[in-house]
PDB file of all heavy atoms in Angstrom:
ATOM      1  N   PRO A 503       3.271 -16.948 -15.881  1.00 80.00           N
ATOM      2  CA  PRO A 503       3.602 -16.888 -14.449  1.00 80.00           C
ATOM      3  C   PRO A 503       4.972 -16.290 -14.137  1.00 80.00           C
ATOM      4  O   PRO A 503       5.108 -15.543 -13.177  1.00 80.00           O
ATOM      5  CB  PRO A 503       3.514 -18.353 -14.000  1.00 80.00           C
ATOM      6  CG  PRO A 503       3.374 -19.175 -15.226  1.00 80.00           C
ATOM      7  CD  PRO A 503       2.959 -18.301 -16.338  1.00 80.00           C
ATOM      8  N   GLU A 504       5.981 -16.587 -14.953  1.00 83.00           N
ATOM      9  CA  GLU A 504       7.319 -16.046 -14.679  1.00 83.00           C
ATOM     10  C   GLU A 504       7.349 -14.539 -14.895  1.00 83.00           C
ATOM     11  O   GLU A 504       7.914 -13.792 -14.091  1.00 83.00           O
ATOM     12  CB  GLU A 504       8.365 -16.742 -15.566  1.00 83.00           C
ATOM     13  CG  GLU A 504       8.640 -18.174 -15.131  1.00 83.00           C
ATOM     14  CD  GLU A 504       9.677 -18.854 -16.010  1.00 83.00           C
ATOM     15  OE1 GLU A 504      10.435 -18.159 -16.699  1.00 83.00           O
ATOM     16  OE2 GLU A 504       9.721 -20.100 -15.990  1.00 83.00           O
ATOM     17  N   LEU A 505       6.730 -14.076 -15.971  1.00 81.00           N
ATOM     18  CA  LEU A 505       6.659 -12.643 -16.243  1.00 81.00           C
ATOM     19  C   LEU A 505       5.868 -11.940 -15.146  1.00 81.00           C
ATOM     20  O   LEU A 505       6.240 -10.860 -14.690  1.00 81.00           O
ATOM     21  CB  LEU A 505       6.012 -12.387 -17.603  1.00 81.00           C
ATOM     22  CG  LEU A 505       5.810 -10.924 -17.988  1.00 81.00           C
ATOM     23  CD1 LEU A 505       7.144 -10.186 -18.043  1.00 81.00           C
ATOM     24  CD2 LEU A 505       5.070 -10.813 -19.318  1.00 81.00           C
ATOM     25  N   SER A 506       4.793 -12.577 -14.693  1.00 80.00           N
ATOM     26  CA  SER A 506       3.957 -12.007 -13.634  1.00 80.00           C
ATOM     27  C   SER A 506       4.774 -11.781 -12.367  1.00 80.00           C
ATOM     28  O   SER A 506       4.663 -10.730 -11.725  1.00 80.00           O
ATOM     29  CB  SER A 506       2.785 -12.944 -13.338  1.00 80.00           C
ATOM     30  OG  SER A 506       2.051 -12.491 -12.244  1.00 80.00           O
ATOM     31  N   GLU A 507       5.611 -12.740 -12.025  1.00 84.00           N
ATOM     32  CA  GLU A 507       6.449 -12.624 -10.825  1.00 84.00           C
ATOM     33  C   GLU A 507       7.478 -11.501 -10.994  1.00 84.00           C
ATOM     34  O   GLU A 507       7.730 -10.732 -10.065  1.00 84.00           O
ATOM     35  CB  GLU A 507       7.151 -13.962 -10.547  1.00 84.00           C
ATOM     36  CG  GLU A 507       7.873 -14.017  -9.221  1.00 84.00           C
ATOM     37  CD  GLU A 507       6.961 -13.771  -8.014  1.00 84.00           C
ATOM     38  OE1 GLU A 507       5.765 -14.127  -8.064  1.00 84.00           O
ATOM     39  OE2 GLU A 507       7.457 -13.206  -7.027  1.00 84.00           O
ATOM     40  N   THR A 508       8.042 -11.389 -12.192  1.00 87.00           N
ATOM     41  CA  THR A 508       9.011 -10.327 -12.478  1.00 87.00           C
ATOM     42  C   THR A 508       8.354  -8.954 -12.354  1.00 87.00           C
ATOM     43  O   THR A 508       8.921  -8.028 -11.760  1.00 87.00           O
ATOM     44  CB  THR A 508       9.599 -10.501 -13.897  1.00 87.00           C
ATOM     45  OG1 THR A 508      10.234 -11.780 -13.973  1.00 87.00           O
ATOM     46  CG2 THR A 508      10.616  -9.417 -14.217  1.00 87.00           C
ATOM     47  N   VAL A 509       7.146  -8.811 -12.906  1.00 86.00           N
ATOM     48  CA  VAL A 509       6.423  -7.539 -12.843  1.00 86.00           C
ATOM     49  C   VAL A 509       6.088  -7.198 -11.395  1.00 86.00           C
ATOM     50  O   VAL A 509       6.242  -6.058 -10.960  1.00 86.00           O
ATOM     51  CB  VAL A 509       5.146  -7.586 -13.709  1.00 86.00           C
ATOM     52  CG1 VAL A 509       4.245  -6.391 -13.435  1.00 86.00           C
ATOM     53  CG2 VAL A 509       5.514  -7.645 -15.189  1.00 86.00           C
ATOM     54  N   LYS A 510       5.652  -8.202 -10.633  1.00 88.00           N
ATOM     55  CA  LYS A 510       5.312  -7.970  -9.233  1.00 88.00           C
ATOM     56  C   LYS A 510       6.534  -7.473  -8.450  1.00 88.00           C
ATOM     57  O   LYS A 510       6.437  -6.537  -7.655  1.00 88.00           O
ATOM     58  CB  LYS A 510       4.772  -9.257  -8.607  1.00 88.00           C
ATOM     59  CG  LYS A 510       4.313  -9.100  -7.175  1.00 88.00           C
ATOM     60  CD  LYS A 510       3.798 -10.414  -6.620  1.00 88.00           C
ATOM     61  CE  LYS A 510       3.515 -10.304  -5.144  1.00 88.00           C
ATOM     62  NZ  LYS A 510       3.207 -11.580  -4.515  1.00 88.00           N
ATOM     63  N   GLU A 511       7.686  -8.098  -8.687  1.00 91.00           N
ATOM     64  CA  GLU A 511       8.918  -7.673  -8.018  1.00 91.00           C
ATOM     65  C   GLU A 511       9.291  -6.245  -8.410  1.00 91.00           C
ATOM     66  O   GLU A 511       9.695  -5.452  -7.564  1.00 91.00           O
ATOM     67  CB  GLU A 511      10.060  -8.629  -8.362  1.00 91.00           C
ATOM     68  CG  GLU A 511       9.949  -9.984  -7.683  1.00 91.00           C
ATOM     69  CD  GLU A 511      10.963 -10.994  -8.184  1.00 91.00           C
ATOM     70  OE1 GLU A 511      11.884 -10.592  -8.939  1.00 91.00           O
ATOM     71  OE2 GLU A 511      10.834 -12.182  -7.833  1.00 91.00           O
ATOM     72  N   ARG A 512       9.117  -5.905  -9.693  1.00 91.00           N
ATOM     73  CA  ARG A 512       9.423  -4.545 -10.165  1.00 91.00           C
ATOM     74  C   ARG A 512       8.498  -3.537  -9.492  1.00 91.00           C
ATOM     75  O   ARG A 512       8.937  -2.485  -9.038  1.00 91.00           O
ATOM     76  CB  ARG A 512       9.280  -4.465 -11.681  1.00 91.00           C
ATOM     77  CG  ARG A 512       9.727  -3.126 -12.239  1.00 91.00           C
ATOM     78  CD  ARG A 512       9.601  -3.022 -13.750  1.00 91.00           C
ATOM     79  NE  ARG A 512      10.015  -4.220 -14.435  1.00 91.00           N
ATOM     80  CZ  ARG A 512       9.246  -4.897 -15.303  1.00 91.00           C
ATOM     81  NH1 ARG A 512       8.031  -4.488 -15.582  1.00 91.00           N
ATOM     82  NH2 ARG A 512       9.691  -5.970 -15.884  1.00 91.00           N
ATOM     83  N   ARG A 513       7.207  -3.850  -9.425  1.00 92.00           N
ATOM     84  CA  ARG A 513       6.253  -2.936  -8.783  1.00 92.00           C
ATOM     85  C   ARG A 513       6.600  -2.750  -7.298  1.00 92.00           C
ATOM     86  O   ARG A 513       6.507  -1.648  -6.770  1.00 92.00           O
ATOM     87  CB  ARG A 513       4.818  -3.457  -8.917  1.00 92.00           C
ATOM     88  CG  ARG A 513       4.302  -3.536 -10.315  1.00 92.00           C
ATOM     89  CD  ARG A 513       4.046  -2.177 -10.945  1.00 92.00           C
ATOM     90  NE  ARG A 513       3.821  -2.344 -12.370  1.00 92.00           N
ATOM     91  CZ  ARG A 513       4.734  -2.138 -13.318  1.00 92.00           C
ATOM     92  NH1 ARG A 513       5.942  -1.702 -12.994  1.00 92.00           N
ATOM     93  NH2 ARG A 513       4.455  -2.332 -14.580  1.00 92.00           N
ATOM     94  N   TYR A 514       7.002  -3.820  -6.643  1.00 93.00           N
ATOM     95  CA  TYR A 514       7.348  -3.715  -5.225  1.00 93.00           C
ATOM     96  C   TYR A 514       8.566  -2.798  -5.045  1.00 93.00           C
ATOM     97  O   TYR A 514       8.590  -1.983  -4.131  1.00 93.00           O
ATOM     98  CB  TYR A 514       7.602  -5.095  -4.623  1.00 93.00           C
ATOM     99  CG  TYR A 514       7.598  -5.061  -3.114  1.00 93.00           C
ATOM    100  CD1 TYR A 514       6.386  -5.041  -2.414  1.00 93.00           C
ATOM    101  CD2 TYR A 514       8.782  -5.012  -2.386  1.00 93.00           C
ATOM    102  CE1 TYR A 514       6.374  -4.980  -1.026  1.00 93.00           C
ATOM    103  CE2 TYR A 514       8.768  -4.951  -1.006  1.00 93.00           C
ATOM    104  CZ  TYR A 514       7.565  -4.941  -0.334  1.00 93.00           C
ATOM    105  OH  TYR A 514       7.544  -4.864   1.041  1.00 93.00           O
ATOM    106  N   GLU A 515       9.547  -2.929  -5.918  1.00 93.00           N
ATOM    107  CA  GLU A 515      10.724  -2.058  -5.855  1.00 93.00           C
ATOM    108  C   GLU A 515      10.328  -0.605  -6.112  1.00 93.00           C
ATOM    109  O   GLU A 515      10.852   0.317  -5.471  1.00 93.00           O
ATOM    110  CB  GLU A 515      11.800  -2.509  -6.856  1.00 93.00           C
ATOM    111  CG  GLU A 515      12.542  -3.765  -6.450  1.00 93.00           C
ATOM    112  CD  GLU A 515      13.238  -3.636  -5.103  1.00 93.00           C
ATOM    113  OE1 GLU A 515      13.881  -2.604  -4.853  1.00 93.00           O
ATOM    114  OE2 GLU A 515      13.128  -4.570  -4.286  1.00 93.00           O
ATOM    115  N   GLN A 516       9.401  -0.389  -7.050  1.00 92.00           N
ATOM    116  CA  GLN A 516       8.938   0.966  -7.336  1.00 92.00           C
ATOM    117  C   GLN A 516       8.203   1.553  -6.130  1.00 92.00           C
ATOM    118  O   GLN A 516       8.351   2.734  -5.816  1.00 92.00           O
ATOM    119  CB  GLN A 516       8.024   0.964  -8.566  1.00 92.00           C
ATOM    120  CG  GLN A 516       8.773   0.695  -9.859  1.00 92.00           C
ATOM    121  CD  GLN A 516       7.851   0.418 -11.025  1.00 92.00           C
ATOM    122  OE1 GLN A 516       6.738  -0.061 -10.874  1.00 92.00           O
ATOM    123  NE2 GLN A 516       8.327   0.728 -12.228  1.00 92.00           N
ATOM    124  N   TYR A 517       7.414   0.712  -5.465  1.00 94.00           N
ATOM    125  CA  TYR A 517       6.730   1.162  -4.245  1.00 94.00           C
ATOM    126  C   TYR A 517       7.755   1.569  -3.176  1.00 94.00           C
ATOM    127  O   TYR A 517       7.634   2.625  -2.554  1.00 94.00           O
ATOM    128  CB  TYR A 517       5.804   0.058  -3.722  1.00 94.00           C
ATOM    129  CG  TYR A 517       5.695   0.019  -2.225  1.00 94.00           C
ATOM    130  CD1 TYR A 517       4.950   0.973  -1.530  1.00 94.00           C
ATOM    131  CD2 TYR A 517       6.366  -0.958  -1.476  1.00 94.00           C
ATOM    132  CE1 TYR A 517       4.876   0.956  -0.143  1.00 94.00           C
ATOM    133  CE2 TYR A 517       6.294  -0.982  -0.106  1.00 94.00           C
ATOM    134  CZ  TYR A 517       5.551  -0.028   0.558  1.00 94.00           C
ATOM    135  OH  TYR A 517       5.490  -0.044   1.926  1.00 94.00           O
ATOM    136  N   LEU A 518       8.783   0.736  -2.958  1.00 94.00           N
ATOM    137  CA  LEU A 518       9.807   1.041  -1.956  1.00 94.00           C
ATOM    138  C   LEU A 518      10.514   2.353  -2.275  1.00 94.00           C
ATOM    139  O   LEU A 518      10.741   3.178  -1.388  1.00 94.00           O
ATOM    140  CB  LEU A 518      10.830  -0.101  -1.872  1.00 94.00           C
ATOM    141  CG  LEU A 518      10.367  -1.410  -1.234  1.00 94.00           C
ATOM    142  CD1 LEU A 518      11.447  -2.479  -1.360  1.00 94.00           C
ATOM    143  CD2 LEU A 518       9.994  -1.209   0.222  1.00 94.00           C
ATOM    144  N   THR A 519      10.843   2.559  -3.550  1.00 91.00           N
ATOM    145  CA  THR A 519      11.493   3.797  -3.969  1.00 91.00           C
ATOM    146  C   THR A 519      10.592   4.997  -3.672  1.00 91.00           C
ATOM    147  O   THR A 519      11.049   6.018  -3.138  1.00 91.00           O
ATOM    148  CB  THR A 519      11.817   3.739  -5.481  1.00 91.00           C
ATOM    149  OG1 THR A 519      12.684   2.630  -5.713  1.00 91.00           O
ATOM    150  CG2 THR A 519      12.477   5.017  -5.964  1.00 91.00           C
ATOM    151  N   SER A 520       9.306   4.865  -3.996  1.00 92.00           N
ATOM    152  CA  SER A 520       8.350   5.952  -3.754  1.00 92.00           C
ATOM    153  C   SER A 520       8.217   6.248  -2.266  1.00 92.00           C
ATOM    154  O   SER A 520       8.232   7.415  -1.849  1.00 92.00           O
ATOM    155  CB  SER A 520       6.975   5.586  -4.325  1.00 92.00           C
ATOM    156  OG  SER A 520       7.033   5.444  -5.714  1.00 92.00           O
TER     157      SER A 520
END
Side-chain angles (χ1 to χ4, degrees):
E504 288 180 19
L505 177 60
S506 174
E507 189 59 31
T508 301
V509 168
K510 183 180 172 189
E511 287 171 10
R512 186 180 319 125
R513 296 290 168 260
Y514 195 79
E515 286 302 315
Q516 290 168 333
Y517 146 75
L518 288 174
T519 300
S520 296

